[in-house]
Each structure stands twice: as structure tokens, then as C-alpha cells.
Short mmCIF file of all heavy atoms in Angstrom, two decimals:
data_model
loop_
_atom_site.label_atom_id
_atom_site.label_comp_id
_atom_site.label_asym_id
_atom_site.label_seq_id
_atom_site.Cartn_x
_atom_site.Cartn_y
_atom_site.Cartn_z
N GLU A 1 -19.83 70.30 39.11
CA GLU A 1 -18.43 70.05 38.74
C GLU A 1 -17.82 71.34 38.21
O GLU A 1 -18.55 72.22 37.72
CB GLU A 1 -18.38 68.96 37.66
CG GLU A 1 -19.04 67.66 38.06
CD GLU A 1 -19.22 66.71 36.88
OE1 GLU A 1 -18.96 67.13 35.73
OE2 GLU A 1 -19.62 65.56 37.13
N PRO A 2 -16.50 71.48 38.30
CA PRO A 2 -15.87 72.69 37.76
C PRO A 2 -16.24 72.94 36.29
O PRO A 2 -16.33 74.10 35.87
CB PRO A 2 -14.38 72.40 37.92
CG PRO A 2 -14.31 71.49 39.11
CD PRO A 2 -15.54 70.63 39.02
N GLU A 3 -16.50 71.86 35.55
CA GLU A 3 -16.86 72.00 34.14
C GLU A 3 -18.24 72.64 33.95
O GLU A 3 -18.61 73.00 32.84
CB GLU A 3 -16.84 70.63 33.45
CG GLU A 3 -15.46 70.00 33.32
CD GLU A 3 -14.91 69.46 34.62
OE1 GLU A 3 -15.71 69.21 35.56
OE2 GLU A 3 -13.67 69.30 34.73
N ASP A 4 -19.00 72.74 35.01
CA ASP A 4 -20.31 73.39 34.94
C ASP A 4 -20.21 74.91 35.05
O ASP A 4 -21.21 75.61 34.91
CB ASP A 4 -21.22 72.88 36.06
CG ASP A 4 -21.53 71.39 35.94
OD1 ASP A 4 -21.79 70.95 34.81
OD2 ASP A 4 -21.49 70.69 36.97
N THR A 5 -19.02 75.43 35.29
CA THR A 5 -18.82 76.87 35.39
C THR A 5 -19.17 77.54 34.07
O THR A 5 -18.65 77.17 33.01
CB THR A 5 -17.36 77.19 35.76
OG1 THR A 5 -17.10 76.70 37.07
CG2 THR A 5 -17.09 78.68 35.70
N ALA A 6 -20.08 78.49 34.12
CA ALA A 6 -20.56 79.15 32.90
C ALA A 6 -21.56 80.23 33.26
O ALA A 6 -22.03 80.30 34.40
CB ALA A 6 -21.23 78.14 31.97
N MET A 7 -21.89 81.04 32.28
CA MET A 7 -23.05 81.92 32.38
C MET A 7 -24.26 81.10 31.93
O MET A 7 -24.21 80.49 30.85
CB MET A 7 -22.88 83.15 31.50
CG MET A 7 -24.01 84.14 31.62
SD MET A 7 -23.99 85.01 33.18
CE MET A 7 -22.71 86.22 32.84
N TYR A 8 -25.29 81.09 32.73
CA TYR A 8 -26.48 80.31 32.43
C TYR A 8 -27.62 81.24 32.00
O TYR A 8 -27.88 82.26 32.64
CB TYR A 8 -26.91 79.51 33.65
CG TYR A 8 -26.07 78.26 33.85
CD1 TYR A 8 -24.76 78.38 34.29
CD2 TYR A 8 -26.56 77.00 33.57
CE1 TYR A 8 -23.96 77.25 34.46
CE2 TYR A 8 -25.78 75.86 33.74
CZ TYR A 8 -24.48 76.00 34.18
OH TYR A 8 -23.70 74.87 34.34
N TYR A 9 -28.27 80.84 30.91
CA TYR A 9 -29.34 81.64 30.33
C TYR A 9 -30.64 80.85 30.26
O TYR A 9 -30.64 79.67 29.93
CB TYR A 9 -28.99 82.08 28.91
CG TYR A 9 -27.77 82.95 28.81
CD1 TYR A 9 -26.51 82.40 28.63
CD2 TYR A 9 -27.87 84.35 28.87
CE1 TYR A 9 -25.38 83.20 28.52
CE2 TYR A 9 -26.75 85.15 28.76
CZ TYR A 9 -25.51 84.57 28.59
OH TYR A 9 -24.40 85.37 28.48
N CYS A 10 -31.71 81.56 30.52
CA CYS A 10 -33.05 81.03 30.33
C CYS A 10 -33.53 81.48 28.94
O CYS A 10 -33.26 82.61 28.54
CB CYS A 10 -33.95 81.59 31.43
SG CYS A 10 -35.69 81.31 31.23
N ALA A 11 -34.23 80.59 28.23
CA ALA A 11 -34.72 80.94 26.90
C ALA A 11 -36.11 80.38 26.70
O ALA A 11 -36.49 79.38 27.31
CB ALA A 11 -33.77 80.39 25.85
N ALA A 12 -36.86 81.02 25.81
CA ALA A 12 -38.23 80.59 25.56
C ALA A 12 -38.62 80.75 24.11
O ALA A 12 -38.18 81.70 23.43
CB ALA A 12 -39.19 81.38 26.45
N LEU A 13 -39.43 79.83 23.65
CA LEU A 13 -40.10 79.95 22.36
C LEU A 13 -41.59 79.89 22.68
O LEU A 13 -42.09 78.86 23.13
CB LEU A 13 -39.72 78.81 21.43
CG LEU A 13 -40.49 78.74 20.11
CD1 LEU A 13 -40.20 79.97 19.27
CD2 LEU A 13 -40.14 77.47 19.35
N ALA A 14 -42.27 81.03 22.48
CA ALA A 14 -43.67 81.10 22.89
C ALA A 14 -44.49 81.81 21.83
O ALA A 14 -44.16 82.94 21.47
CB ALA A 14 -43.78 81.84 24.22
N PRO A 15 -45.59 81.19 21.34
CA PRO A 15 -46.00 79.83 21.63
C PRO A 15 -45.14 78.80 20.88
O PRO A 15 -44.40 79.17 19.98
CB PRO A 15 -47.44 79.79 21.15
CG PRO A 15 -47.46 80.78 20.03
CD PRO A 15 -46.50 81.86 20.42
N CYS A 16 -45.28 77.56 21.28
CA CYS A 16 -44.50 76.49 20.66
C CYS A 16 -45.46 75.46 20.10
O CYS A 16 -46.15 74.79 20.86
CB CYS A 16 -43.58 75.87 21.72
SG CYS A 16 -42.61 74.49 21.13
N PHE A 17 -45.52 75.30 18.80
CA PHE A 17 -46.49 74.42 18.17
C PHE A 17 -45.95 73.02 17.89
O PHE A 17 -46.71 72.06 17.86
CB PHE A 17 -47.00 75.05 16.88
CG PHE A 17 -47.71 76.36 17.10
CD1 PHE A 17 -47.17 77.55 16.63
CD2 PHE A 17 -48.91 76.41 17.78
CE1 PHE A 17 -47.81 78.76 16.84
CE2 PHE A 17 -49.56 77.62 17.99
CZ PHE A 17 -49.02 78.80 17.52
N ASN A 18 -44.67 72.91 17.62
CA ASN A 18 -44.11 71.61 17.29
C ASN A 18 -43.24 71.13 18.45
O ASN A 18 -42.01 71.10 18.36
CB ASN A 18 -43.27 71.69 16.01
CG ASN A 18 -42.95 70.32 15.45
OD1 ASN A 18 -43.09 69.31 16.14
ND2 ASN A 18 -42.47 70.29 14.22
N HIS A 19 -43.91 70.76 19.54
CA HIS A 19 -43.16 70.41 20.73
C HIS A 19 -42.41 69.09 20.57
O HIS A 19 -41.40 68.88 21.24
CB HIS A 19 -44.07 70.37 21.96
CG HIS A 19 -45.22 69.41 21.83
ND1 HIS A 19 -46.42 69.77 21.27
CD2 HIS A 19 -45.34 68.13 22.21
CE1 HIS A 19 -47.24 68.74 21.31
NE2 HIS A 19 -46.61 67.74 21.86
N ALA A 20 -42.88 68.21 19.70
CA ALA A 20 -42.16 66.96 19.49
C ALA A 20 -40.79 67.23 18.88
O ALA A 20 -39.78 66.67 19.30
CB ALA A 20 -42.97 66.03 18.59
N TYR A 21 -40.75 68.10 17.88
CA TYR A 21 -39.48 68.49 17.27
C TYR A 21 -38.62 69.23 18.29
O TYR A 21 -37.41 69.01 18.37
CB TYR A 21 -39.73 69.38 16.06
CG TYR A 21 -38.46 69.91 15.45
CD1 TYR A 21 -37.72 69.15 14.54
CD2 TYR A 21 -37.97 71.18 15.77
CE1 TYR A 21 -36.56 69.62 13.99
CE2 TYR A 21 -36.79 71.66 15.22
CZ TYR A 21 -36.09 70.88 14.32
OH TYR A 21 -34.93 71.35 13.79
N PHE A 22 -39.25 70.09 19.07
CA PHE A 22 -38.51 70.86 20.06
C PHE A 22 -37.79 69.93 21.04
O PHE A 22 -36.60 70.11 21.31
CB PHE A 22 -39.47 71.76 20.84
CG PHE A 22 -38.84 72.36 22.07
CD1 PHE A 22 -37.89 73.37 21.96
CD2 PHE A 22 -39.19 71.93 23.34
CE1 PHE A 22 -37.30 73.93 23.09
CE2 PHE A 22 -38.60 72.47 24.47
CZ PHE A 22 -37.66 73.48 24.34
N LEU A 23 -38.50 68.94 21.57
CA LEU A 23 -37.91 68.11 22.61
C LEU A 23 -36.86 67.14 22.07
O LEU A 23 -36.07 66.60 22.85
CB LEU A 23 -39.00 67.33 23.34
CG LEU A 23 -39.84 68.14 24.31
CD1 LEU A 23 -40.93 67.28 24.92
CD2 LEU A 23 -38.96 68.76 25.41
N THR A 24 -36.88 66.89 20.76
CA THR A 24 -35.89 65.97 20.20
C THR A 24 -34.71 66.67 19.54
O THR A 24 -33.58 66.20 19.66
CB THR A 24 -36.55 65.04 19.17
OG1 THR A 24 -37.22 65.84 18.19
CG2 THR A 24 -37.54 64.11 19.84
N VAL A 25 -34.97 67.79 18.88
CA VAL A 25 -33.93 68.46 18.11
C VAL A 25 -33.78 69.94 18.47
O VAL A 25 -32.69 70.42 18.74
CB VAL A 25 -34.21 68.33 16.60
CG1 VAL A 25 -33.12 69.05 15.80
CG2 VAL A 25 -34.31 66.87 16.19
N GLY A 26 -34.90 70.65 18.45
CA GLY A 26 -34.85 72.11 18.54
C GLY A 26 -34.22 72.65 19.80
O GLY A 26 -33.57 73.71 19.78
N TRP A 27 -34.38 71.94 20.89
CA TRP A 27 -33.98 72.49 22.18
C TRP A 27 -32.48 72.74 22.27
O TRP A 27 -32.02 73.54 23.08
CB TRP A 27 -34.40 71.55 23.31
CG TRP A 27 -33.61 70.28 23.39
CD1 TRP A 27 -33.82 69.13 22.69
CD2 TRP A 27 -32.46 70.04 24.21
NE1 TRP A 27 -32.88 68.20 23.04
CE2 TRP A 27 -32.05 68.72 23.97
CE3 TRP A 27 -31.76 70.81 25.14
CZ2 TRP A 27 -30.95 68.17 24.60
CZ3 TRP A 27 -30.67 70.25 25.78
CH2 TRP A 27 -30.27 68.93 25.51
N LYS A 28 -31.69 72.07 21.47
CA LYS A 28 -30.24 72.22 21.51
C LYS A 28 -29.76 73.46 20.76
O LYS A 28 -28.59 73.85 20.88
CB LYS A 28 -29.57 71.00 20.90
CG LYS A 28 -29.97 69.67 21.52
CD LYS A 28 -29.36 68.52 20.76
CE LYS A 28 -29.86 67.18 21.21
NZ LYS A 28 -29.30 66.06 20.42
N ARG A 29 -30.63 74.07 19.98
CA ARG A 29 -30.22 75.15 19.08
C ARG A 29 -30.63 76.49 19.65
O ARG A 29 -31.83 76.79 19.78
CB ARG A 29 -30.85 74.94 17.71
CG ARG A 29 -30.46 73.63 17.07
CD ARG A 29 -31.19 73.38 15.77
NE ARG A 29 -30.76 72.14 15.13
CZ ARG A 29 -31.32 71.63 14.05
NH1 ARG A 29 -32.33 72.25 13.47
NH2 ARG A 29 -30.87 70.49 13.55
N ALA A 30 -29.66 77.35 19.93
CA ALA A 30 -29.96 78.66 20.48
C ALA A 30 -30.83 79.47 19.53
O ALA A 30 -31.69 80.24 19.97
CB ALA A 30 -28.66 79.40 20.79
N THR A 31 -30.66 79.27 18.23
CA THR A 31 -31.43 80.05 17.25
C THR A 31 -32.90 79.66 17.21
O THR A 31 -33.71 80.36 16.62
CB THR A 31 -30.83 79.86 15.85
OG1 THR A 31 -30.77 78.45 15.56
CG2 THR A 31 -29.45 80.47 15.75
N TYR A 32 -33.24 78.55 17.85
CA TYR A 32 -34.63 78.09 17.86
C TYR A 32 -35.49 78.93 18.80
O TYR A 32 -36.71 78.96 18.68
CB TYR A 32 -34.67 76.63 18.28
CG TYR A 32 -35.98 75.94 18.00
CD1 TYR A 32 -36.35 75.58 16.71
CD2 TYR A 32 -36.85 75.60 19.04
CE1 TYR A 32 -37.54 74.93 16.46
CE2 TYR A 32 -38.04 74.95 18.79
CZ TYR A 32 -38.39 74.61 17.51
OH TYR A 32 -39.57 73.98 17.27
N PHE A 33 -34.85 79.59 19.76
CA PHE A 33 -35.57 80.32 20.80
C PHE A 33 -35.74 81.78 20.43
O PHE A 33 -34.89 82.39 19.79
CB PHE A 33 -34.83 80.20 22.12
CG PHE A 33 -34.85 78.80 22.68
CD1 PHE A 33 -33.94 77.85 22.25
CD2 PHE A 33 -35.79 78.43 23.62
CE1 PHE A 33 -33.96 76.56 22.74
CE2 PHE A 33 -35.81 77.15 24.14
CZ PHE A 33 -34.90 76.21 23.69
N THR A 34 -36.85 82.35 20.90
CA THR A 34 -37.19 83.73 20.58
C THR A 34 -36.77 84.71 21.66
O THR A 34 -36.38 85.83 21.36
CB THR A 34 -38.71 83.85 20.36
OG1 THR A 34 -39.15 82.84 19.47
CG2 THR A 34 -39.07 85.23 19.84
N TYR A 35 -36.90 84.27 22.90
CA TYR A 35 -36.69 85.18 24.02
C TYR A 35 -35.57 84.66 24.92
O TYR A 35 -35.45 83.45 25.15
CB TYR A 35 -37.98 85.31 24.85
CG TYR A 35 -39.16 85.75 24.03
CD1 TYR A 35 -40.14 84.84 23.64
CD2 TYR A 35 -39.29 87.08 23.63
CE1 TYR A 35 -41.22 85.25 22.88
CE2 TYR A 35 -40.38 87.49 22.88
CZ TYR A 35 -41.34 86.57 22.51
OH TYR A 35 -42.41 86.97 21.76
N TRP A 36 -34.79 85.59 25.46
CA TRP A 36 -33.65 85.25 26.30
C TRP A 36 -33.59 86.14 27.52
O TRP A 36 -33.95 87.32 27.47
CB TRP A 36 -32.35 85.43 25.52
CG TRP A 36 -32.17 84.41 24.45
CD1 TRP A 36 -32.66 84.47 23.18
CD2 TRP A 36 -31.48 83.17 24.55
NE1 TRP A 36 -32.31 83.34 22.49
CE2 TRP A 36 -31.58 82.52 23.31
CE3 TRP A 36 -30.78 82.54 25.58
CZ2 TRP A 36 -31.01 81.28 23.06
CZ3 TRP A 36 -30.21 81.30 25.33
CH2 TRP A 36 -30.33 80.68 24.09
N GLY A 37 -33.11 85.57 28.61
CA GLY A 37 -32.82 86.36 29.79
C GLY A 37 -31.42 86.93 29.70
O GLY A 37 -30.69 86.70 28.73
N GLN A 38 -31.02 87.65 30.75
CA GLN A 38 -29.73 88.32 30.74
C GLN A 38 -28.60 87.43 31.26
O GLN A 38 -27.42 87.76 31.09
CB GLN A 38 -29.80 89.59 31.59
CG GLN A 38 -29.66 89.38 33.10
CD GLN A 38 -30.88 88.75 33.74
OE1 GLN A 38 -31.93 88.61 33.11
NE2 GLN A 38 -30.76 88.37 35.00
N GLY A 39 -28.96 86.32 31.86
CA GLY A 39 -27.96 85.37 32.33
C GLY A 39 -27.64 85.50 33.80
O GLY A 39 -27.81 86.57 34.40
N THR A 40 -27.19 84.40 34.38
CA THR A 40 -26.73 84.39 35.76
C THR A 40 -25.48 83.51 35.83
O THR A 40 -25.42 82.44 35.23
CB THR A 40 -27.82 83.87 36.72
OG1 THR A 40 -27.39 83.99 38.07
CG2 THR A 40 -28.21 82.42 36.44
N GLN A 41 -24.46 83.99 36.55
CA GLN A 41 -23.17 83.33 36.55
C GLN A 41 -23.12 82.20 37.58
O GLN A 41 -23.52 82.38 38.73
CB GLN A 41 -22.06 84.35 36.86
CG GLN A 41 -20.66 83.78 36.85
CD GLN A 41 -20.20 83.39 35.46
OE1 GLN A 41 -20.34 84.14 34.50
NE2 GLN A 41 -19.65 82.18 35.33
#
């Protein structure tokens, strides 16, 4: 959809010990991740 227009980034937290928290809460927070790609439009 036109609303999907954006720069898309890949991010990673490695290693990840609290995956239950990650999948419920952490994943929405950019600050939770350690590594980022440069993005693709």
C-alpha cells in the first residue's frame, strides 16, 4: 500500500537472551537493537 512507503532497516540484537521479552515488547523499540543496516528504500 502507499502507506508502506518508507526506508526499511534490518536490525539485530546478538546474542539475545530474553527472547520472550523480545517477541512481546522489545521488538517494537529501536533502542533495543544493537546493530543496524544502512536501509533500503
Side-chain angles (χ1 to χ4, degrees):
E1 303 168 352
E3 293 74 21
D4 296 318
T5 294
M7 183 72 79
Y8 282 72
Y9 298 90
C10 170
L13 173 64
C16 178
F17 298 113
N18 194 345
H19 57 273
Y21 175 84
F22 168 73
L23 285 177
T24 54
V25 179
W27 71 276
K28 304 175 188 178
R29 301 175 177 173
T31 54
Y32 195 74
F33 292 83
T34 310
Y35 304 103
W36 290 85
Q38 81 288 350
T40 186
Q41 182 69 48

